[in-house]
Amino acid sequence: MNATSSQDPGRDPGRIVLLTTTHRVAPGLLSWPAWQALQGADQVLCADGAHPQLPYLREAGIAVEETAPTAQELIDACEGGRTVAVVATGEGEPVLTDGLARLAGSGRVRMPELELLPASYDLPGARLLDLVQVMDRIRAECPWSSQQTHKGLVKYAIEEAYELVEAIEDGDRQELREELGDVLLQVVFHARIAEEDPEEPFSVDDVAGGIVTKLIHRHPHVFGDETAETAADVKEHWLRTKAQEKRRTSVTEGIPLGQPGLALAAKLASRVRTAGLDVPLPAGRGVGYELLAMAVRAEAEGVDPESALRVAARAYRDAVRAVEGVPAADGTASADAQDTVEGEDEDLPGFPA
Protein backbone atom coordinates (compact mmCIF):
# COMPACT_ATOMS: atom_id res chain seq x y z
CA MET A 1 0.00 0.00 0.00
CA ASN A 2 1.26 3.44 -0.85
CA ALA A 3 2.43 5.27 2.24
CA THR A 4 0.19 8.23 1.46
CA SER A 5 -2.97 6.24 0.82
CA SER A 6 -4.33 6.83 4.32
CA GLN A 7 -3.73 10.57 4.19
CA ASP A 8 -6.26 13.14 3.09
CA PRO A 9 -4.44 15.69 0.91
CA GLY A 10 -6.80 18.41 2.07
CA ARG A 11 -6.27 17.92 5.79
CA ASP A 12 -3.69 19.69 8.00
CA PRO A 13 -0.78 17.24 8.56
CA GLY A 14 -0.41 18.48 12.14
CA ARG A 15 2.68 18.84 14.30
CA ILE A 16 5.20 16.62 16.07
CA VAL A 17 7.06 17.95 19.11
CA LEU A 18 10.08 15.86 20.12
CA LEU A 19 10.97 16.68 23.72
CA THR A 20 14.50 15.88 24.84
CA THR A 21 15.67 15.80 28.44
CA THR A 22 18.93 15.20 30.26
CA HIS A 23 19.42 12.84 33.17
CA ARG A 24 21.82 15.38 34.68
CA VAL A 25 18.93 17.67 35.65
CA ALA A 26 16.46 16.60 38.33
CA PRO A 27 13.23 15.10 36.86
CA GLY A 28 10.35 17.54 36.72
CA LEU A 29 12.57 20.56 36.14
CA LEU A 30 11.51 21.31 32.58
CA SER A 31 11.59 24.54 30.62
CA TRP A 32 8.41 26.60 30.44
CA PRO A 33 8.10 26.11 26.64
CA ALA A 34 8.26 22.35 27.29
CA TRP A 35 5.43 22.51 29.83
CA GLN A 36 3.38 24.62 27.41
CA ALA A 37 3.95 22.10 24.62
CA LEU A 38 2.97 19.19 26.84
CA GLN A 39 -0.18 20.89 28.12
CA GLY A 40 -1.23 21.95 24.63
CA ALA A 41 -0.59 18.62 22.91
CA ASP A 42 -3.47 16.44 21.81
CA GLN A 43 -1.46 13.36 22.65
CA VAL A 44 1.75 12.71 24.64
CA LEU A 45 3.75 9.56 23.97
CA CYS A 46 6.77 7.95 25.59
CA ALA A 47 8.40 4.66 24.64
CA ASP A 48 10.09 4.20 28.02
CA GLY A 49 7.69 3.27 30.78
CA ALA A 50 10.46 3.84 33.33
CA HIS A 51 11.35 7.30 32.06
CA PRO A 52 12.18 9.42 35.14
CA GLN A 53 10.00 12.29 33.90
CA LEU A 54 6.76 10.30 33.72
CA PRO A 55 5.74 10.46 37.40
CA TYR A 56 6.16 14.24 37.38
CA LEU A 57 4.25 14.69 34.13
CA ARG A 58 1.35 12.63 35.43
CA GLU A 59 1.41 14.50 38.72
CA ALA A 60 1.00 17.68 36.68
CA GLY A 61 -2.12 16.21 35.07
CA ILE A 62 -0.58 15.28 31.73
CA ALA A 63 -1.74 11.93 30.33
CA VAL A 64 1.20 10.02 28.86
CA GLU A 65 0.74 6.92 26.71
CA GLU A 66 3.53 4.37 26.98
CA THR A 67 4.00 3.37 23.37
CA ALA A 68 6.67 3.35 20.69
CA PRO A 69 5.00 4.35 17.40
CA THR A 70 6.60 3.89 14.03
CA ALA A 71 7.27 6.97 11.96
CA GLN A 72 4.21 6.34 9.81
CA GLU A 73 1.98 5.76 12.83
CA LEU A 74 3.15 9.03 14.34
CA ILE A 75 2.41 10.90 11.11
CA ASP A 76 -1.06 9.36 10.96
CA ALA A 77 -1.68 10.39 14.58
CA CYS A 78 -0.97 14.01 13.69
CA GLU A 79 -3.31 14.14 10.69
CA GLY A 80 -6.10 16.65 10.97
CA GLY A 81 -4.05 19.34 12.64
CA ARG A 82 -3.32 17.42 15.83
CA THR A 83 -0.17 17.96 17.89
CA VAL A 84 1.60 14.91 19.24
CA ALA A 85 4.41 15.36 21.77
CA VAL A 86 7.00 12.60 22.09
CA VAL A 87 9.04 12.46 25.30
CA ALA A 88 12.32 11.11 23.99
CA THR A 89 14.23 8.38 25.77
CA GLY A 90 17.83 8.85 26.86
CA GLU A 91 19.04 7.70 23.45
CA GLY A 92 17.02 10.40 21.69
CA GLU A 93 14.70 8.15 19.61
CA PRO A 94 17.10 7.49 16.70
CA VAL A 95 14.87 4.82 15.12
CA LEU A 96 11.88 7.15 15.07
CA THR A 97 13.78 10.17 13.77
CA ASP A 98 15.54 8.10 11.10
CA GLY A 99 12.16 6.79 9.97
CA LEU A 100 10.72 10.30 9.77
CA ALA A 101 13.74 11.41 7.75
CA ARG A 102 13.26 8.57 5.27
CA LEU A 103 9.57 9.36 4.79
CA ALA A 104 10.33 13.05 4.38
CA GLY A 105 12.99 12.25 1.81
CA SER A 106 10.67 10.03 -0.20
CA GLY A 107 8.55 13.00 -1.24
CA ARG A 108 5.41 10.84 -1.07
CA VAL A 109 4.27 11.86 2.41
CA ARG A 110 2.87 15.18 3.62
CA MET A 111 4.99 15.65 6.69
CA PRO A 112 3.77 17.25 9.90
CA GLU A 113 5.67 20.21 11.23
CA LEU A 114 8.51 18.84 13.33
CA GLU A 115 9.90 20.71 16.32
CA LEU A 116 12.83 19.58 18.44
CA LEU A 117 12.34 21.11 21.88
CA PRO A 118 14.92 20.72 24.66
CA ALA A 119 12.82 20.28 27.79
CA SER A 120 15.95 20.26 29.95
CA TYR A 121 19.54 20.66 28.94
CA ASP A 122 23.02 20.43 30.33
CA LEU A 123 24.67 23.42 31.93
CA PRO A 124 28.45 23.96 31.63
CA GLY A 125 30.20 21.37 33.76
CA ALA A 126 27.34 18.87 33.56
CA ARG A 127 29.62 16.12 32.27
CA LEU A 128 31.48 16.28 35.57
CA LEU A 129 28.44 14.56 37.05
CA ASP A 130 28.99 11.71 34.61
CA LEU A 131 32.61 11.45 35.72
CA VAL A 132 31.57 11.24 39.36
CA GLN A 133 29.04 8.50 38.56
CA VAL A 134 31.52 6.53 36.47
CA MET A 135 34.18 6.79 39.17
CA ASP A 136 31.69 5.66 41.80
CA ARG A 137 30.87 2.54 39.83
CA ILE A 138 34.51 1.78 39.05
CA ARG A 139 35.41 2.12 42.71
CA ALA A 140 32.65 -0.31 43.63
CA GLU A 141 33.09 -2.90 40.87
CA CYS A 142 36.69 -2.83 39.59
CA PRO A 143 39.02 -5.24 41.45
CA TRP A 144 42.03 -2.92 41.00
CA SER A 145 40.38 0.45 41.62
CA SER A 146 38.49 -0.77 44.66
CA GLN A 147 41.79 -1.57 46.43
CA GLN A 148 43.58 1.72 45.77
CA THR A 149 44.56 4.15 48.52
CA HIS A 150 45.65 7.79 48.60
CA LYS A 151 49.28 6.74 49.09
CA GLY A 152 49.10 4.12 46.37
CA LEU A 153 47.93 6.70 43.83
CA VAL A 154 50.58 9.32 44.61
CA LYS A 155 52.92 8.23 41.82
CA TYR A 156 50.11 8.47 39.28
CA ALA A 157 49.26 12.02 40.36
CA ILE A 158 52.90 13.01 39.87
CA GLU A 159 53.13 11.29 36.50
CA GLU A 160 49.93 12.90 35.24
CA ALA A 161 51.09 16.34 36.38
CA TYR A 162 54.34 15.96 34.44
CA GLU A 163 52.51 14.68 31.38
CA LEU A 164 50.30 17.77 31.55
CA VAL A 165 53.39 19.98 31.70
CA GLU A 166 54.81 18.21 28.66
CA ALA A 167 51.58 18.67 26.70
CA ILE A 168 51.63 22.38 27.50
CA GLU A 169 55.26 22.70 26.48
CA ASP A 170 54.61 20.78 23.27
CA GLY A 171 51.71 23.02 22.36
CA ASP A 172 49.63 19.94 21.51
CA ARG A 173 45.99 20.93 22.05
CA GLN A 174 44.59 17.41 21.76
CA GLU A 175 47.17 16.06 24.16
CA LEU A 176 46.50 18.96 26.51
CA ARG A 177 42.81 18.13 26.66
CA GLU A 178 43.54 14.47 27.35
CA GLU A 179 46.08 15.22 30.07
CA LEU A 180 43.76 17.68 31.77
CA GLY A 181 41.24 14.85 31.90
CA ASP A 182 43.83 12.53 33.46
CA VAL A 183 44.65 15.11 36.12
CA LEU A 184 40.94 15.62 36.77
CA LEU A 185 40.56 11.87 37.20
CA GLN A 186 43.13 11.97 39.99
CA VAL A 187 41.06 14.57 41.83
CA VAL A 188 37.83 12.60 41.48
CA PHE A 189 39.52 9.30 42.34
CA HIS A 190 41.05 10.66 45.54
CA ALA A 191 37.78 12.31 46.51
CA ARG A 192 35.94 9.01 46.02
CA ILE A 193 38.44 7.18 48.20
CA ALA A 194 38.08 9.90 50.83
CA GLU A 195 34.37 9.16 51.16
CA GLU A 196 35.25 5.83 52.76
CA ASP A 197 37.46 7.22 55.51
CA PRO A 198 35.96 6.11 58.85
CA GLU A 199 37.09 9.19 60.80
CA GLU A 200 37.22 12.18 58.43
CA PRO A 201 35.30 11.39 55.24
CA PHE A 202 34.71 13.98 52.56
CA SER A 203 33.37 13.93 49.03
CA VAL A 204 34.08 15.57 45.70
CA ASP A 205 31.33 18.05 46.58
CA ASP A 206 33.27 19.02 49.68
CA VAL A 207 36.40 19.45 47.57
CA ALA A 208 34.58 21.62 45.04
CA GLY A 209 32.82 23.57 47.78
CA GLY A 210 36.12 24.31 49.46
CA ILE A 211 37.78 25.69 46.36
CA VAL A 212 34.69 27.72 45.46
CA THR A 213 34.70 29.34 48.89
CA LYS A 214 38.43 30.02 48.64
CA LEU A 215 38.20 31.59 45.19
CA ILE A 216 35.30 33.83 46.18
CA HIS A 217 37.05 34.95 49.35
CA ARG A 218 40.29 35.70 47.52
CA HIS A 219 38.55 37.67 44.78
CA PRO A 220 36.79 40.45 46.71
CA HIS A 221 37.15 42.68 43.64
CA VAL A 222 34.89 40.24 41.75
CA PHE A 223 32.49 38.99 44.40
CA GLY A 224 32.70 41.80 46.95
CA ASP A 225 33.07 45.55 47.33
CA GLU A 226 36.81 45.79 46.72
CA THR A 227 38.22 47.24 43.52
CA ALA A 228 41.20 46.13 41.43
CA GLU A 229 42.40 47.99 38.37
CA THR A 230 45.64 46.15 37.76
CA ALA A 231 47.14 42.70 38.22
CA ALA A 232 49.19 44.16 41.08
CA ASP A 233 45.96 45.14 42.85
CA VAL A 234 44.64 41.62 42.42
CA LYS A 235 47.83 40.16 43.84
CA GLU A 236 47.58 42.49 46.84
CA HIS A 237 44.03 41.27 47.54
CA TRP A 238 45.15 37.68 47.09
CA LEU A 239 48.08 37.88 49.46
CA ARG A 240 46.14 39.80 52.09
CA THR A 241 43.20 37.38 52.19
CA LYS A 242 45.54 34.41 52.05
CA ALA A 243 47.48 35.72 55.03
CA GLN A 244 44.22 36.10 56.95
CA GLU A 245 43.22 32.53 56.10
CA LYS A 246 46.51 30.79 56.80
CA ARG A 247 47.83 32.78 59.79
CA ARG A 248 51.25 31.26 59.21
CA THR A 249 54.09 31.73 61.68
CA SER A 250 56.73 31.33 58.95
CA VAL A 251 56.83 32.19 55.27
CA THR A 252 58.12 28.67 54.67
CA GLU A 253 54.87 27.05 55.83
CA GLY A 254 52.80 25.56 53.05
CA ILE A 255 55.73 25.06 50.68
CA PRO A 256 55.81 21.38 49.62
CA LEU A 257 59.34 20.07 50.12
CA GLY A 258 58.68 17.19 47.72
CA GLN A 259 58.70 19.38 44.63
CA PRO A 260 61.72 19.53 42.27
CA GLY A 261 64.76 21.24 43.77
CA LEU A 262 64.88 24.30 41.51
CA ALA A 263 61.17 24.92 41.96
CA LEU A 264 61.56 24.55 45.73
CA ALA A 265 64.45 27.02 45.84
CA ALA A 266 62.54 29.52 43.70
CA LYS A 267 59.43 29.22 45.88
CA LEU A 268 61.44 29.84 49.04
CA ALA A 269 63.14 32.84 47.45
CA SER A 270 59.80 34.20 46.29
CA ARG A 271 58.31 33.95 49.78
CA VAL A 272 61.35 35.67 51.26
CA ARG A 273 61.25 38.48 48.71
CA THR A 274 57.49 39.00 49.06
CA ALA A 275 57.80 39.19 52.85
CA GLY A 276 60.64 41.72 52.58
CA LEU A 277 63.03 39.57 54.59
CA ASP A 278 66.81 39.89 54.33
CA VAL A 279 68.00 36.29 54.45
CA PRO A 280 71.57 35.53 53.38
CA LEU A 281 72.09 32.32 51.45
CA PRO A 282 73.60 29.50 53.49
CA ALA A 283 77.34 29.15 53.11
CA GLY A 284 78.40 25.94 51.51
CA ARG A 285 80.37 24.41 48.70
CA GLY A 286 79.25 22.16 45.90
CA VAL A 287 76.85 22.07 43.02
CA GLY A 288 73.79 22.19 45.28
CA TYR A 289 74.69 25.56 46.75
CA GLU A 290 75.63 26.89 43.33
CA LEU A 291 72.25 25.83 41.95
CA LEU A 292 70.53 27.42 44.96
CA ALA A 293 72.24 30.73 44.27
CA MET A 294 71.33 30.54 40.59
CA ALA A 295 67.69 29.73 41.39
CA VAL A 296 67.43 32.66 43.82
CA ARG A 297 68.98 35.00 41.26
CA ALA A 298 66.62 33.76 38.53
CA GLU A 299 63.59 34.30 40.78
CA ALA A 300 64.74 37.83 41.59
CA GLU A 301 64.96 38.53 37.85
CA GLY A 302 61.44 37.21 37.24
CA VAL A 303 62.56 33.93 35.66
CA ASP A 304 61.23 30.52 36.67
CA PRO A 305 64.42 28.46 36.96
CA GLU A 306 62.60 25.12 36.69
CA SER A 307 60.97 26.10 33.39
CA ALA A 308 64.20 27.66 32.12
CA LEU A 309 66.12 24.46 32.81
CA ARG A 310 63.41 22.38 31.15
CA VAL A 311 63.66 24.47 27.98
CA ALA A 312 67.44 24.09 27.98
CA ALA A 313 67.18 20.35 28.68
CA ARG A 314 64.80 19.89 25.75
CA ALA A 315 67.28 21.71 23.52
CA TYR A 316 70.00 19.40 24.83
CA ARG A 317 67.77 16.42 24.07
CA ASP A 318 67.38 17.59 20.48
CA ALA A 319 71.15 18.10 20.20
CA VAL A 320 71.71 14.51 21.34
CA ARG A 321 69.26 13.25 18.74
CA ALA A 322 71.00 15.31 16.06
CA VAL A 323 74.35 13.71 16.88
CA GLU A 324 72.69 10.29 16.77
CA GLY A 325 71.21 11.11 13.38
CA VAL A 326 67.71 10.75 14.76
CA PRO A 327 65.06 13.24 13.54
CA ALA A 328 64.19 15.91 16.05
CA ALA A 329 61.44 14.77 18.39
CA ASP A 330 58.03 16.32 17.93
CA GLY A 331 57.12 18.91 20.48
CA THR A 332 60.02 21.36 20.59
CA ALA A 333 59.17 23.88 23.28
CA SER A 334 56.47 26.15 21.93
CA ALA A 335 56.19 29.89 22.31
CA ASP A 336 53.68 29.31 25.09
CA ALA A 337 56.15 27.15 26.95
CA GLN A 338 58.89 29.75 26.49
CA ASP A 339 56.55 32.36 27.91
CA THR A 340 56.28 30.42 31.14
CA VAL A 341 60.00 30.80 31.77
CA GLU A 342 59.65 34.49 32.57
CA GLY A 343 57.14 36.42 34.56
CA GLU A 344 56.23 33.74 37.11
CA ASP A 345 55.29 35.13 40.52
CA GLU A 346 54.44 34.02 44.02
CA ASP A 347 51.05 32.31 44.38
CA LEU A 348 49.39 33.84 41.36
CA PRO A 349 45.62 34.40 41.67
CA GLY A 350 43.76 31.37 40.42
CA PHE A 351 46.34 28.96 41.78
CA PRO A 352 45.57 28.55 45.49
CA ALA A 353 48.26 27.27 47.79
Side-chain angles (χ1 to χ4, degrees), residues 33 51-52 60-61 72 94 108 144 147 192 225 237 265 273 279 349-350:
H51 198 294
Q72 184 62 61
R108 299 194 299 265
W144 184 86
Q147 299 301 315
R192 178 61 183 81
D225 299 328
H237 290 320
R273 177 177 54 79
V279 182

Side-chain angles (χ1 to χ4, degrees), residues 24 30 36 77-78 86 107 123-124 139 162 168-170 182 210 217 222-223 239 266 270 274 286 303 320 349:
R24 302 179 189 94
L30 305 181
Q36 289 180 308
C78 293
V86 178
L123 297 175
R139 177 66 173 175
Y162 278 121
I168 293 172
E169 291 179 344
D170 288 347
D182 291 342
H217 187 236
V222 176
F223 301 100
L239 294 178
S270 176
T274 302
V303 175
V320 171

Side-chain angles (χ1 to χ4, degrees), residues 1-62:
M1 178 181 293
N2 189 290
T4 61
S5 60
S6 62
Q7 287 187 306
D8 185 341
R11 302 187 71 186
D12 185 343
R15 176 168 169 255
I16 298 171
V17 180
L18 183 62
L19 289 157
T20 60
T21 60
T22 173
H23 65 279
R24 302 179 189 94
V25 175
L29 296 179
L30 305 181
S31 65
W32 177 239
W35 282 115
Q36 289 180 308
L38 288 165
Q39 292 168 346
D42 296 291
Q43 193 174 12
V44 178
L45 311 178
C46 182
D48 181 7
H51 198 294
Q53 298 290 349
L54 295 192
Y56 298 91
L57 298 184
R58 288 169 175 151
E59 186 177 352
I62 297 173

Side-chain angles (χ1 to χ4, degrees), residues 58-337:
R58 288 169 175 151
E59 186 177 352
I62 297 173
V64 182
E65 299 179 32
E66 298 177 16
T67 182
T70 65
Q72 184 62 61
E73 289 171 343
L74 184 57
I75 291 173
D76 292 341
C78 293
E79 189 174 0
R82 301 177 76 248
T83 296
V84 178
V86 178
V87 180
T89 62
E91 290 74 29
E93 305 293 348
V95 175
L96 180 61
T97 54
D98 288 349
L100 290 171
R102 283 194 297 271
L103 290 175
S106 71
R108 299 194 299 265
V109 179
R110 293 181 66 233
M111 296 295 296
E113 176 188 350
L114 178 60
E115 178 182 2
L116 178 62
L117 181 59
S120 62
Y121 47 88
D122 292 339
L123 297 175
R127 296 307 299 272
L128 292 175
L129 298 177
D130 291 346
L131 176 57
V132 172
Q133 291 178 345
V134 168
M135 187 68 252
D136 188 62
R137 182 170 178 180
I138 289 175
R139 177 66 173 175
E141 300 180 19
C142 173
W144 184 86
S145 298
S146 62
Q147 299 301 315
Q148 297 309 302
T149 64
H150 292 302
K151 289 183 179 180
L153 291 177
V154 165
K155 63 180 180 180
Y156 300 107
I158 295 173
E159 289 174 5
E160 298 301 351
Y162 278 121
E163 289 176 6
L164 173 60
V165 170
E166 184 171 356
I168 293 172
E169 291 179 344
D170 288 347
D172 188 327
R173 301 292 295 177
Q174 295 297 323
E175 192 70 14
L176 174 59
R177 182 175 65 179
E178 179 177 344
E179 297 305 334
L180 284 171
D182 291 342
V183 171
L184 179 59
L185 170 60
Q186 295 301 310
V187 175
V188 176
F189 203 162
H190 280 280
R192 178 61 183 81
I193 293 173
E195 290 184 29
E196 303 168 5
D197 189 274
E199 298 179 358
E200 298 182 68
F202 60 82
S203 69
V204 69
D205 288 322
D206 297 316
V207 174
I211 190 62
V212 166
T213 300
K214 180 182 291 186
L215 288 173
I216 291 175
H217 187 236
R218 294 191 186 179
H219 288 79
H221 54 290
V222 176
F223 301 100
D225 299 328
E226 301 280 356
T227 59
E229 302 294 335
T230 66
D233 294 336
V234 174
K235 181 183 176 184
E236 181 182 351
H237 290 320
W238 183 268
L239 294 178
R240 184 176 68 250
T241 55
K242 181 178 176 181
Q244 295 170 350
E245 293 170 1
K246 300 297 184 180
R247 299 187 182 279
R248 289 168 172 158
T249 58
S250 169
V251 297
T252 64
E253 292 180 16
I255 298 178
L257 298 180
Q259 62 184 305
L262 285 177
L264 172 60
K267 177 63 74 172
L268 287 167
S270 176
R271 288 280 181 91
V272 168
R273 177 177 54 79
T274 302
L277 301 177
D278 183 11
V279 182
L281 292 177
R285 301 180 62 182
V287 174
Y289 289 94
E290 294 173 7
L291 289 173
L292 173 62
M294 293 178 65
V296 172
R297 188 186 72 194
E299 193 283 326
E301 296 174 356
V303 175
D304 175 16
E306 183 71 28
S307 296
L309 181 58
R310 287 183 60 81
V311 170
R314 291 166 74 90
Y316 184 40
R317 184 271 317 267
D318 290 343
V320 171
R321 294 175 69 90
V323 170
E324 294 173 330
V326 180
D330 293 337
T332 300
S334 66
D336 288 342

